[in-house]
mmCIF file of all heavy atoms in Angstrom:
data_model
loop_
_atom_site.group_PDB
_atom_site.id
_atom_site.type_symbol
_atom_site.label_atom_id
_atom_site.label_comp_id
_atom_site.label_asym_id
_atom_site.label_seq_id
_atom_site.Cartn_x
_atom_site.Cartn_y
_atom_site.Cartn_z
ATOM 1 N N GLY A 331 89.766 -71.662 51.895
ATOM 2 C CA GLY A 331 88.883 -72.403 50.987
ATOM 3 C C GLY A 331 87.415 -72.266 51.370
ATOM 4 O O GLY A 331 86.979 -71.240 51.910
ATOM 5 N N ASP A 332 86.636 -73.321 51.102
ATOM 6 C CA ASP A 332 85.198 -73.276 51.346
ATOM 7 C C ASP A 332 84.854 -73.078 52.815
ATOM 8 O O ASP A 332 83.733 -72.674 53.139
ATOM 9 C CB ASP A 332 84.536 -74.578 50.857
ATOM 10 C CG ASP A 332 84.415 -74.623 49.336
ATOM 11 O OD1 ASP A 332 84.833 -73.641 48.684
ATOM 12 O OD2 ASP A 332 83.915 -75.635 48.805
ATOM 13 N N ALA A 333 85.765 -73.372 53.706
ATOM 14 C CA ALA A 333 85.498 -73.148 55.133
ATOM 15 C C ALA A 333 85.353 -71.659 55.421
ATOM 16 O O ALA A 333 84.661 -71.262 56.357
ATOM 17 C CB ALA A 333 86.617 -73.736 55.982
ATOM 18 N N ALA A 334 85.998 -70.824 54.601
ATOM 19 C CA ALA A 334 85.911 -69.373 54.789
ATOM 20 C C ALA A 334 84.831 -68.770 53.901
ATOM 21 O O ALA A 334 84.085 -67.885 54.325
ATOM 22 C CB ALA A 334 87.251 -68.723 54.477
ATOM 23 N N MET A 335 84.756 -69.221 52.669
ATOM 24 C CA MET A 335 83.734 -68.690 51.751
ATOM 25 C C MET A 335 83.424 -69.732 50.691
ATOM 26 O O MET A 335 84.335 -70.266 50.065
ATOM 27 C CB MET A 335 84.226 -67.413 51.066
ATOM 28 C CG MET A 335 83.159 -66.779 50.184
ATOM 29 S SD MET A 335 83.719 -65.285 49.348
ATOM 30 C CE MET A 335 84.517 -65.977 47.915
ATOM 31 N N VAL A 336 82.154 -70.020 50.524
ATOM 32 C CA VAL A 336 81.770 -70.948 49.465
ATOM 33 C C VAL A 336 80.755 -70.245 48.576
ATOM 34 O O VAL A 336 79.815 -69.623 49.060
ATOM 35 C CB VAL A 336 81.218 -72.278 50.062
ATOM 36 C CG1 VAL A 336 80.019 -72.045 50.960
ATOM 37 C CG2 VAL A 336 80.878 -73.273 48.973
ATOM 38 N N LEU A 337 81.004 -70.305 47.294
ATOM 39 C CA LEU A 337 80.067 -69.720 46.337
ATOM 40 C C LEU A 337 79.326 -70.835 45.634
ATOM 41 O O LEU A 337 79.827 -71.962 45.530
ATOM 42 C CB LEU A 337 80.801 -68.853 45.310
ATOM 43 C CG LEU A 337 81.580 -67.669 45.858
ATOM 44 C CD1 LEU A 337 82.171 -66.843 44.730
ATOM 45 C CD2 LEU A 337 80.686 -66.790 46.729
ATOM 46 N N SER A 338 78.149 -70.525 45.156
ATOM 47 C CA SER A 338 77.379 -71.496 44.405
ATOM 48 C C SER A 338 78.266 -72.069 43.279
ATOM 49 O O SER A 338 78.991 -71.321 42.619
ATOM 50 C CB SER A 338 76.160 -70.789 43.803
ATOM 51 O OG SER A 338 75.810 -71.376 42.602
ATOM 52 N N PRO A 339 78.218 -73.387 43.062
ATOM 53 C CA PRO A 339 79.075 -73.980 42.019
ATOM 54 C C PRO A 339 78.782 -73.448 40.630
ATOM 55 O O PRO A 339 79.581 -73.605 39.717
ATOM 56 C CB PRO A 339 78.776 -75.474 42.118
ATOM 57 C CG PRO A 339 77.606 -75.615 43.007
ATOM 58 C CD PRO A 339 77.448 -74.369 43.801
ATOM 59 N N ASN A 340 77.662 -72.762 40.490
ATOM 60 C CA ASN A 340 77.326 -72.105 39.238
ATOM 61 C C ASN A 340 78.441 -71.160 38.798
ATOM 62 O O ASN A 340 78.635 -70.908 37.612
ATOM 63 C CB ASN A 340 76.023 -71.316 39.466
ATOM 64 C CG ASN A 340 75.389 -70.848 38.197
ATOM 65 O OD1 ASN A 340 75.626 -71.428 37.142
ATOM 66 N ND2 ASN A 340 74.584 -69.815 38.274
ATOM 67 N N TYR A 341 79.210 -70.628 39.750
ATOM 68 C CA TYR A 341 80.259 -69.656 39.431
ATOM 69 C C TYR A 341 81.632 -70.307 39.275
ATOM 70 O O TYR A 341 82.593 -69.643 38.892
ATOM 71 C CB TYR A 341 80.280 -68.536 40.490
ATOM 72 C CG TYR A 341 78.938 -67.843 40.536
ATOM 73 C CD1 TYR A 341 77.992 -68.191 41.485
ATOM 74 C CD2 TYR A 341 78.589 -66.925 39.564
ATOM 75 C CE1 TYR A 341 76.733 -67.617 41.491
ATOM 76 C CE2 TYR A 341 77.333 -66.343 39.549
ATOM 77 C CZ TYR A 341 76.404 -66.692 40.514
ATOM 78 O OH TYR A 341 75.167 -66.126 40.493
ATOM 79 N N ALA A 342 81.717 -71.573 39.599
ATOM 80 C CA ALA A 342 82.923 -72.376 39.317
ATOM 81 C C ALA A 342 84.209 -71.756 39.838
ATOM 82 O O ALA A 342 85.233 -71.750 39.153
ATOM 83 C CB ALA A 342 83.028 -72.636 37.812
ATOM 84 N N THR A 343 84.147 -71.210 41.044
ATOM 85 C CA THR A 343 85.327 -70.534 41.571
ATOM 86 C C THR A 343 85.955 -71.255 42.768
ATOM 87 O O THR A 343 87.007 -70.820 43.249
ATOM 88 C CB THR A 343 84.977 -69.096 42.016
ATOM 89 O OG1 THR A 343 83.842 -69.172 42.878
ATOM 90 C CG2 THR A 343 84.680 -68.202 40.837
ATOM 91 N N GLY A 344 85.334 -72.315 43.258
ATOM 92 C CA GLY A 344 85.763 -72.917 44.521
ATOM 93 C C GLY A 344 87.214 -73.357 44.527
ATOM 94 O O GLY A 344 88.000 -72.948 45.388
ATOM 95 N N MET A 345 87.589 -74.203 43.568
ATOM 96 C CA MET A 345 88.964 -74.714 43.546
ATOM 97 C C MET A 345 89.958 -73.581 43.294
ATOM 98 O O MET A 345 91.050 -73.555 43.863
ATOM 99 C CB MET A 345 89.114 -75.776 42.457
ATOM 100 C CG MET A 345 88.271 -77.008 42.699
ATOM 101 S SD MET A 345 88.565 -78.250 41.433
ATOM 102 C CE MET A 345 87.969 -77.438 39.958
ATOM 103 N N SER A 346 89.566 -72.656 42.438
ATOM 104 C CA SER A 346 90.487 -71.572 42.073
ATOM 105 C C SER A 346 90.716 -70.640 43.252
ATOM 106 O O SER A 346 91.852 -70.213 43.510
ATOM 107 C CB SER A 346 89.923 -70.793 40.881
ATOM 108 O OG SER A 346 89.678 -71.685 39.820
ATOM 109 N N LEU A 347 89.652 -70.319 43.993
ATOM 110 C CA LEU A 347 89.829 -69.460 45.169
ATOM 111 C C LEU A 347 90.632 -70.183 46.244
ATOM 112 O O LEU A 347 91.417 -69.560 46.971
ATOM 113 C CB LEU A 347 88.468 -69.004 45.703
ATOM 114 C CG LEU A 347 87.758 -67.960 44.833
ATOM 115 C CD1 LEU A 347 86.342 -67.719 45.335
ATOM 116 C CD2 LEU A 347 88.534 -66.648 44.806
ATOM 117 N N ALA A 348 90.466 -71.492 46.332
ATOM 118 C CA ALA A 348 91.267 -72.266 47.284
ATOM 119 C C ALA A 348 92.753 -72.150 46.919
ATOM 120 O O ALA A 348 93.615 -71.956 47.792
ATOM 121 C CB ALA A 348 90.835 -73.729 47.281
ATOM 122 N N ALA A 349 93.057 -72.255 45.638
ATOM 123 C CA ALA A 349 94.450 -72.165 45.185
ATOM 124 C C ALA A 349 95.012 -70.769 45.444
ATOM 125 O O ALA A 349 96.153 -70.618 45.902
ATOM 126 C CB ALA A 349 94.534 -72.505 43.701
ATOM 127 N N LEU A 350 94.204 -69.750 45.167
ATOM 128 C CA LEU A 350 94.679 -68.379 45.404
ATOM 129 C C LEU A 350 94.860 -68.115 46.895
ATOM 130 O O LEU A 350 95.776 -67.394 47.302
ATOM 131 C CB LEU A 350 93.689 -67.380 44.783
ATOM 132 C CG LEU A 350 93.725 -67.358 43.250
ATOM 133 C CD1 LEU A 350 92.480 -66.679 42.681
ATOM 134 C CD2 LEU A 350 94.977 -66.639 42.745
ATOM 135 N N GLY A 351 94.016 -68.732 47.720
ATOM 136 C CA GLY A 351 94.173 -68.596 49.164
ATOM 137 C C GLY A 351 95.456 -69.248 49.645
ATOM 138 O O GLY A 351 96.188 -68.686 50.483
ATOM 139 N N ALA A 352 95.757 -70.429 49.123
ATOM 140 C CA ALA A 352 96.993 -71.114 49.508
ATOM 141 C C ALA A 352 98.216 -70.315 49.052
ATOM 142 O O ALA A 352 99.230 -70.239 49.755
ATOM 143 C CB ALA A 352 97.024 -72.514 48.910
ATOM 144 N N LEU A 353 98.101 -69.710 47.874
ATOM 145 C CA LEU A 353 99.216 -68.878 47.390
ATOM 146 C C LEU A 353 99.391 -67.651 48.289
ATOM 147 O O LEU A 353 100.521 -67.233 48.576
ATOM 148 C CB LEU A 353 98.961 -68.458 45.939
ATOM 149 C CG LEU A 353 100.131 -67.807 45.210
ATOM 150 C CD1 LEU A 353 101.332 -68.728 45.153
ATOM 151 C CD2 LEU A 353 99.724 -67.394 43.798
ATOM 152 N N ALA A 354 98.270 -67.095 48.756
ATOM 153 C CA ALA A 354 98.351 -65.963 49.694
ATOM 154 C C ALA A 354 99.025 -66.392 50.992
ATOM 155 O O ALA A 354 99.814 -65.638 51.580
ATOM 156 C CB ALA A 354 96.954 -65.419 49.977
ATOM 157 N N LEU A 355 98.746 -67.619 51.423
ATOM 158 C CA LEU A 355 99.406 -68.143 52.628
ATOM 159 C C LEU A 355 100.917 -68.203 52.411
ATOM 160 O O LEU A 355 101.699 -67.778 53.261
ATOM 161 C CB LEU A 355 98.836 -69.538 52.947
ATOM 162 C CG LEU A 355 99.557 -70.363 54.008
ATOM 163 C CD1 LEU A 355 99.546 -69.654 55.364
ATOM 164 C CD2 LEU A 355 98.916 -71.758 54.142
ATOM 165 N N ARG A 356 101.326 -68.716 51.247
ATOM 166 C CA ARG A 356 102.764 -68.802 50.991
ATOM 167 C C ARG A 356 103.398 -67.411 50.912
ATOM 168 O O ARG A 356 104.506 -67.184 51.408
ATOM 169 C CB ARG A 356 103.057 -69.563 49.698
ATOM 170 C CG ARG A 356 104.550 -69.818 49.556
ATOM 171 C CD ARG A 356 104.912 -70.536 48.296
ATOM 172 N NE ARG A 356 104.845 -69.659 47.129
ATOM 173 C CZ ARG A 356 105.139 -70.055 45.899
ATOM 174 N NH1 ARG A 356 105.487 -71.307 45.676
ATOM 175 N NH2 ARG A 356 105.057 -69.215 44.889
ATOM 176 N N THR A 357 102.685 -66.484 50.280
ATOM 177 C CA THR A 357 103.225 -65.119 50.164
ATOM 178 C C THR A 357 103.454 -64.515 51.542
ATOM 179 O O THR A 357 104.504 -63.916 51.800
ATOM 180 C CB THR A 357 102.255 -64.252 49.337
ATOM 181 O OG1 THR A 357 102.199 -64.785 48.013
ATOM 182 C CG2 THR A 357 102.708 -62.813 49.270
#
Side-chain angles (χ1 to χ4, degrees):
Chain A
D332 285 359
M335 184 181 85
V336 58
L337 300 184
S338 149
N340 193 23
Y341 301 97
T343 51
M345 296 183 296
S346 304
L347 287 172
L350 288 163
L353 191 59
L355 169 61
R356 188 181 75 179
T357 296

